[in-house]
Amino acid sequence: MGTEREIRYAGRFMELRAKHEASVKAAEDKLAEELAQKQELLRREFEEGVDLSAERAKSTAAIDKAEKAVQEAKELRDAAFAYTVEKSKEGRVKALDLALDWNENFINGVREKELAPIVGRLASARSDMYNALLDFYELVDKYDPLRREIAELEDRESNAERRTTRYITEIEQDYNLPLVKEMDIRNIKNRRELPDGIKRK
C-alpha cells in the first residue's frame, strides 16, 4: 500500500486529469452549441428567405474560436496526462496508489457531487413518466365506454344499411406515445447519441 504522501499525490493527479477532461468536455459542448446556432441561421435563410450573412460571419468566427478552444483544452489535457505518467515513472505515484485513491476517495467525491444530481433527475423523470402513463390510461378508461357504445351503434346501423362499418378511433395508440425505448437507451449508452427530436440540455 502506498504511503500517505503517495496517496496524496495520487489524489492530486486524479483531480488534475478530471479537471482537464471536464475542460475538454465544456469546450466541445460550446463548439456543438455554436455549430447548432450556425445550422439554425442557415435554416432561417433557406426557409424565410432572409439575408443573415452578417450573423453567419459572426457565427463562423465563433465556431473557429470554439474549435481552437477545443484544441487547446485537448493539448492541456494531454500535457497533464503526460505529466502524470512521468511522475508515476519517478516512483512518486504508483498504479496501486492511483487505484486505491480511485476506489477509496476520488470516486466517492464524484458520486456525491456529480452522480447524485443525475440520479435524482432520473428518479424524478421516472416518476413523471409513470404518472403520465397512468394519466393516459385513466383518460382512455374515461372515454372508452363511450367509444365502444358509438362503435356498437355504428355497427348495427351499418349492418342495417348494408354498408361498411366506420372504424371508431381510439383516443391514441400506445405506440404513438413518446415513451422511453430500449433502442434509444442503447444508442445513448453505446454512441452517446440522443434520439431524433431531443435536444441536449
Side-chain angles (χ1 to χ4, degrees):
M1 183 176 290
T3 66
E4 183 180 341
R5 183 168 175 269
E6 288 171 335
I7 294 295
R8 189 168 64 250
Y9 274 118
R12 287 178 186 166
F13 292 142
M14 211 79 77
E15 289 171 8
L16 181 67
R17 294 175 77 126
K19 172 187 172 184
H20 287 289
E21 284 290 5
S23 296
V24 170
K25 177 70 167 57
E28 288 175 339
D29 288 347
K30 179 64 176 174
L31 175 58
E33 181 184 318
E34 296 294 349
L35 289 168
Q37 289 179 6
K38 177 77 174 281
Q39 288 300 313
E40 177 61 17
L41 287 173
L42 292 172
R43 184 197 64 76
R44 285 184 57 203
E45 278 195 309
F46 298 151
E47 290 184 3
E48 300 170 18
V50 292
D51 181 13
L52 299 174
S53 53
E55 288 86 345
R56 270 192 293 106
K58 288 179 183 177
S59 180
T60 299
I63 289 171
D64 290 343
K65 182 178 178 182
E67 286 175 340
K68 288 177 183 175
V70 168
Q71 185 61 35
E72 287 176 5
K74 286 182 176 179
E75 288 173 0
L76 277 172
R77 178 199 61 190
D78 293 346
F81 286 7
Y83 175 75
T84 302
V85 170
E86 283 304 310
K87 289 300 178 185
S88 177
K89 287 178 181 176
E90 290 176 12
R92 294 173 68 182
V93 178
K94 298 176 182 176
L96 176 60
D97 298 328
L98 293 172
L100 289 171
D101 189 64
W102 174 274
N103 288 337
E104 297 172 10
N105 300 309
F106 185 78
I107 197 65
N108 291 329
V110 171
R111 285 173 175 162
E112 182 181 342
K113 294 176 184 176
E114 299 182 56
L115 177 62
I118 294 172
V119 171
R121 286 166 50 207
L122 283 169
S124 178
R126 179 175 181 262
S127 174
D128 289 345
M129 172 66 76
Y130 286 150
N131 274 280
L133 198 55
L134 182 58
D135 288 342
F136 166 72
Y137 285 118
E138 287 179 348
L139 182 66
V140 169
D141 292 343
K142 179 179 177 181
Y143 291 106
D144 208 51
L146 179 59
R147 184 191 70 81
R148 290 174 183 274
E149 186 177 339
I150 293 171
E152 188 177 331
L153 290 171
E154 163 58 13
D155 188 51
R156 286 183 198 161
E157 186 176 287
S158 64
N159 286 337
E161 296 179 359
R162 296 184 179 179
R163 62 175 173 77
T164 303
T165 302
R166 294 289 302 233
Y167 177 73
I168 307 304
T169 307
E170 296 178 5
I171 295 292
E172 186 53 277
Q173 299 293 329
D174 292 10
Y175 57 77
N176 284 330
L177 297 176
L179 300 175
V180 174
K181 298 175 182 172
E182 188 177 346
M183 180 181 70
D184 293 336
I185 293 175
R186 279 202 309 270
N187 283 339
I188 291 170
K189 180 179 179 180
N190 298 331
R191 301 180 183 174
R192 305 299 193 261
E193 290 179 358
L194 290 172
D196 290 341
I198 303 294
K199 290 186 177 180
R200 185 75 169 97
K201 292 184 179 180

